[in-house]
């Protein structure tokens, strides 16, 4: 409870009023009231007036306190709502009697067609609040009063105001309910609370009305008089309020008591279900339930049910209200209403694993209820027998060992037996229902595979990473045997080395074609792969202007001679053979070097892993060739030129003296051709040195050392030979003891004109030879002999240039 500061001192120092004395709040005339409440201009509707008596308790306030009365005036509408008309605050004095005018301007009410009242009247409510130093100490509501404009109204009973200091809650028997007390109420039931008002003297004030409220009306409601109704489960705070004072209680709405029943679910086991709090002690045998299987618990009680199976049995499952608890050993039930729960117990069955008779390997079988059993060559160890709940589906998995004694040795699962006899693969499952069950499992040990490599070649045989057998350098090494799982399919791959070829399989792979073999490891197996040396082609070539030989491992294998076009040779050898190649030049030659699969001029070591080609080049050592003066006197001039235009030689011989490009280099043992070209009025009469005795104007010889040539030119008469006619033929010219000059030929109807040189004083013979299908007619000109149709014309070299005509025609 709260009291304001003014209650700490009473009007000890001032004038006190008797509790029985009354302060009359008197009203003046209507005009005076209107002036006080609504000063200034007003409408035509005259205000109404109210007269009441107010008793102010003598204990209220001290001499220094300010005591005021606050009046709020409202009119009622038909919907029971209130519309404020105005507010007036009046300061009260210590006088025993004092006039307190209260007037009401009802103009706004009369103007409202929805007002409560007819015939020009209004229903007005006064809310009175007594304040000491601005703090409300008492409140009252007066009305509704029926007011008519211009007419006074009065309240017949005195209005007494007190200094109210507290609100208490009491029950229906009048017992005090402590503030914030926790009250229990069953869902749907009611309970009555009342409010008791106390003034500063501790005396009850009976003519005050409190306001009741609930902070959770969806849980509990409270009427205007304090009657409580429990609506739903939960808590609600109920409060009685008078002005600034209040008192509260908390109502907790609970469910009413309810019965819990336990029943059995059909099963093969037995056990007991007990409750906390105590009340349920129910024995279940298979499907029947006996003992304390029904008990009533308080509403909203949380009951814990606990299942206790007999030895050799297990609790299986809850049902009905406990269905959501699954197979947990306990179940929580809230008794919001009558409940029923069911329970099942099941017997345990023995499941035993034994070793299968056919296995010689090792492995492990794990599965339901913690079975973990090792099998080694028919002997079991570990947890090989377990108990499982009757009717439970059990599953087991067989896992072969991957090593034995730390050595990789993949075992193989051989199969199931007994209760798992129909299972395939490494998984087995069945239902352990009705009786104990036995199953068996077996494992196979690994099988050894040995690989041999035969033949003169080299290579490898592999099977994954376990087997890698290699033949190299005539010996076998590597992993040539390994163990594999029983019945596994091992893929062997034979791969020849770079210098070998795979030639075939024998042993376990005898029927296999190709270099891949699949071996089924039902038992220990041996397979042999053979390799032969691969043969490769070594192609040799010699070329160039020189002479020499290409040697293989010191033995001549391919040679070239001077002037020869070159040579191609070959050898077939084992792949991988290493040979040494050397180029050896003959006299007047040098080895120029290798091309192809060898390079340079040094010896070449070549490993023949595939077909190879090597070319060796030899270049001739050049010999000096020069033109010299002819020993005899030369009276004419000419030039010696090399017919091979790649070799420069163009030497002019003027009266036998060389001049110009008269020296060059030539290949040894290669034919050299030099042409003698006489100047006009000169003729070649003889060759000298290397060309001594050459029969024509062209000299050809083969040098084997440095060499010199010379030619003699003498003064000559130029004879012009014209070949004419419709035919074709050749005119040759011969001077005894002098190299023959070139002939002059013609084609049909084309003719030709050639120059011949006749040394002065010499006699030459021209001869005409008709081409096939034509005929020689004869010479025309200064022939000494043979003019006319004879085939020769003799002419001596004296005088000036002569012109002779040779005639050919068609027959």
């Amino acid at each position: 409870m709260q009291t304001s500061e003014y209650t700490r001192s009473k009007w000890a120092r001032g004038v006190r009023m008797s509790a029985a004395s009354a302060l009359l709040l008197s009203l003046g005339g209507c005009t005076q009231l209107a002036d006080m409440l609504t000063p200034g201009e007003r409408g035509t509707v005259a205000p109404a007036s109210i007269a009441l008596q107010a008793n102010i308790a003598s204990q209220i306030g001290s001499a220094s306190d300010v005591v005021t009365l606050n009046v709020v005036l409202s009119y009622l509408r038909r919907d029971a709502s209130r519309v404020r008309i105005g507010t007036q605050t009046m300061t009260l004095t210590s006088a025993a009697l004092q006039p307190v005018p209260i007037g009401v301007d009802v103009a706004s009410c009369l103007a409202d067609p929805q007002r409560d009242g007819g015939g020009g009247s209004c229903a007005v409510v006064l809310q009175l609040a007594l304040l000491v130093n601005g703090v409300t100490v008492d409140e009252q509501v007066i009305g509704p009063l029926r007011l008519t404009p211009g007419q006074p109204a009065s309240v017949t009973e005195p209005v007494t105001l007190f200094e109210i200091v507290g609100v208490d809650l009491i029950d229906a028997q009048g017992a005090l309910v402590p503030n914030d007390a926790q009250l229990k109420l069953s869902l749907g039931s009611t309970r009555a609370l009342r409010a008791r008002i106390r003034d500063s003297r501790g005396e009850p004030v009976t003519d005050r009305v409190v306001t009741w409220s609930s902070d959770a009306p969806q849980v509990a409601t409270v009427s205007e008089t304090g009657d409580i109704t429990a609506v739903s489960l939960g808590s609600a705070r109920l409060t009685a309020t008078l002005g600034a004072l209040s008192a509260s209680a908390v109502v907790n709405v609970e469910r009413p008591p309810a019965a819990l029943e336990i029943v059995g679910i059909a099963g093969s086991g037995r056990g007991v279900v007990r409750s906390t709090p105590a009340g349920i002690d129910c024995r279940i045998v298979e499907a029947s339930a006996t003992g304390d299987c029904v008990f009533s618990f308080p509403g909203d009680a949380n009951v814990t049910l606990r299942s206790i199976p007999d030895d050799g049995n297990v609790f299986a499952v809850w049902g009905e209200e406990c269905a959501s608890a699954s197979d947990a050993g306990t179940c929580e039930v809230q008794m919001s209403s009558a409940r029923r729960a069911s329970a099942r117990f099941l017997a345990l069955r023995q499941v035993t694993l034994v070793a299968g008779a056919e296995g010689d390997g090792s492995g492990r079988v794990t599965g339901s209820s913690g079975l973990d059993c090792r099998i080694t060559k028919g002997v079991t160890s570990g947890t090989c027998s377990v108990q499982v709940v009757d009717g439970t589906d059990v599953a087991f998995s067989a896992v072969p060992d991957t090593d034995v004694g730390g050595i990789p040795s993949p075992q193989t699962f051989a199969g199931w037996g007994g209760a798992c006899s129909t299972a395939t693969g490494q998984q087995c499952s069945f239902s352990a229902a009705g009786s104990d069950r036995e199953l068996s499992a077996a494992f196979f040990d690994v099988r050894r595979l040995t690989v041999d490599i035969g033949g003169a070649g080299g290579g490898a045989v592999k099977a994954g990473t376990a087997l890698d057998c290699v033949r190299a350098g005539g010996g076998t090494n590597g992993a040539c045997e390994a163990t594999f799982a029983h019945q596994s399919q091992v893929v062997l791959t034979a791969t020849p080395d770079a210098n070998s070829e795979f030639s075939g399989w024998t042993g376990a792979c005898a029927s296999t074609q190709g270099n891949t073999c699949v071996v089924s490891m039902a038992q220990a197996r041996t397979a042999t792969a053979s390799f032969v040396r691969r043969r490769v082609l070594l192609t040799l070539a010699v070329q160039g202007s020189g002479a020499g030989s290409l040697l293989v491992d010191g033995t001549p294998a391919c040679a070239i001679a001077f002037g020869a076009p070159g040579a191609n040779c070959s050898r077939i050898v084992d792949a991988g053979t290493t040979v040494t190649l050397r180029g050896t030049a003959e006299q007047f030659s040098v080895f120029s070097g290798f091309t192809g699969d060898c390079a340079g001029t040094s010896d070449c070591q070549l490993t023949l892993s595939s077909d190879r080609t090597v070319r060796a080049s030899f270049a001739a050592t050049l010999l000096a060739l020069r033109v010299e003066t002819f020993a005899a006197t030369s009276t004419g001039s000419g030039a010696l030129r090399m017919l091979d235009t790649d070799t420069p030689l163009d030497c002019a011989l003027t009266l036998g003296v060389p001049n110009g490009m008269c020296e060059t280099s030539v290949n040894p043992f290669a034919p050299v051709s030099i042409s003698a070209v006489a100047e006009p009025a000169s003729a070649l009469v003889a060759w000298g040195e290397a060309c001594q005795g050459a029969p024509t104007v062209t000299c050809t010889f083969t040098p084997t050392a440095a060499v010199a040539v010379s030619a003699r030119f003498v003064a000559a008469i130029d004879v012009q030979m014209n070949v004419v006619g419709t035919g074709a033929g050749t005119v040759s010219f011969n001077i005894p003891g002098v190299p023959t000059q070139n002939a002059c030929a013609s084609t049909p109807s084309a003719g030709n004109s050639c120059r011949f040189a006749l040394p002065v004083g010499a006699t030459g013979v021209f001869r005409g030879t008709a081409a096939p299908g034509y005929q020689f007619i004869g010479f025309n000109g200064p022939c000494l002999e043979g003019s006319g149709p004879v085939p020769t014309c003799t002419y001596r070299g004296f005088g000036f240039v002569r012109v002779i005509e040779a005639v050919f025609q068609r027959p």
Side-chain angles (χ1 to χ4, degrees), residues 602-649:
S602 300
D603 289 357
C604 172
Q605 282 195 330
L606 188 64
T607 299
L608 302 174
S609 58
S610 61
D611 292 347
R612 297 297 185 91
T613 298
V614 176
R615 289 178 291 275
S617 296
F618 297 91
T621 302
L622 297 179
L623 302 176
L625 171 64
R626 68 182 181 281
V627 178
E628 295 185 348
T629 302
F630 196 79
T633 301
S634 297
T635 59
S637 298
L640 298 184
R641 295 189 180 100
M642 189 76 73
L643 291 182
D644 182 0
T645 56
D646 291 336
T647 304
L649 183 69

Side-chain angles (χ1 to χ4, degrees), residues 93-338:
T93 68
S94 60
L97 295 174
Q98 52 184 309
V100 179
I102 300 177
V104 184
D105 188 348
V106 295
S108 61
C109 172
L110 295 175
D112 186 351
Q114 299 299 321
R115 72 182 186 279
D116 182 11
S121 66
C122 291
V124 176
V125 176
L126 283 69
Q127 292 176 273
L128 305 180
L130 182 65
L131 292 82
V132 178
N133 297 326
V135 177
T136 300
V137 298
D138 195 5
E139 291 182 330
Q140 281 201 62
V141 176
I142 306 297
L145 303 176
R146 185 64 61 181
L147 298 183
T148 302
Q151 298 297 322
S154 62
V155 178
T156 58
E157 296 295 329
V159 177
T160 303
L161 300 175
F162 297 91
E163 181 185 5
I164 297 175
V165 297
V167 176
D168 296 328
L169 297 181
I170 58 177
D171 60 17
Q173 288 72 39
L176 179 67
V177 176
N179 194 42
D180 290 332
Q182 299 288 323
L183 307 178
K184 291 185 179 181
L185 196 61
S186 295
L187 181 65
S189 62
T190 62
R191 178 172 179 172
L193 289 182
R194 296 294 180 260
R196 183 171 62 191
I197 311 302
R198 291 181 286 105
D199 65 8
S200 58
R201 299 169 302 167
E203 297 295 329
V205 179
T206 59
D207 58 348
R208 297 295 184 269
V209 177
V210 299
T211 301
W212 289 91
S213 64
S214 170
D215 69 348
Q218 73 278 10
V219 176
T221 61
V222 61
S223 69
E224 292 180 354
T225 59
D227 294 329
I228 304 169
T229 301
V231 178
S232 63
L233 301 179
S235 296
R237 178 179 292 277
L238 307 180
T239 304
T241 303
L242 178 66
L245 303 175
S246 65
S248 298
V250 177
V251 173
N252 297 304
V253 180
E254 300 176 344
R255 296 188 186 277
L260 174 60
E261 179 184 7
I262 305 300
V263 297
I265 303 175
S268 60
R270 59 184 61 196
V272 175
V273 175
R274 293 193 177 100
S275 68
T276 301
I280 296 293
D281 190 352
C282 182
R283 168 160 288 279
I284 295 176
V285 177
E286 296 182 354
S288 63
T290 58
D292 296 329
C293 298
V294 179
F295 189 80
S296 292
F297 292 94
D300 288 331
N302 288 322
V303 178
T304 300
L305 296 178
R306 182 165 56 95
S307 62
I308 307 169
D310 291 352
D311 290 343
N313 294 265
V314 293
F315 173 70
V317 68
W318 295 103
E320 300 188 53
E321 289 297 332
C322 288
S324 61
S326 185
D327 59 351
T330 60
C331 167
E332 299 288 335
V333 179
Q334 185 179 24
M335 297 306 298
S336 57
S337 62

Side-chain angles (χ1 to χ4, degrees), residues 499 536-540 550-553 573-582 594-599 602-615:
N499 300 317
V536 296
L537 176 65
L538 173 61
T539 300
L540 304 174
L550 178 56
L551 281 62
V552 177
D553 292 335
V573 299
D574 288 339
T577 301
T578 299
V579 296
T580 301
L581 302 176
R582 175 179 298 171
F594 294 110
T595 56
D597 290 316
C598 284
S602 300
D603 289 357
C604 172
Q605 282 195 330
L606 188 64
T607 299
L608 302 174
S609 58
S610 61
D611 292 347
R612 297 297 185 91
T613 298
V614 176
R615 289 178 291 275

Side-chain angles (χ1 to χ4, degrees), residues 375-403:
I375 299 177
T376 304
K377 297 186 181 299
V379 178
T380 60
S381 60
T383 303
C384 300
S385 183
V386 294
Q387 285 187 325
V388 299
V389 177
D390 181 64
T392 300
D393 290 335
V394 293
F396 303 98
S397 177
V399 181
D401 287 344
T402 57
D403 64 75

Side-chain angles (χ1 to χ4, degrees), residues 468-488:
D468 188 356
C469 187
V470 179
R471 166 68 67 83
T476 302
N477 53 68
C480 294
E481 63 178 23
T483 56
F484 296 91
H486 177 78
Q487 293 291 14
S488 62

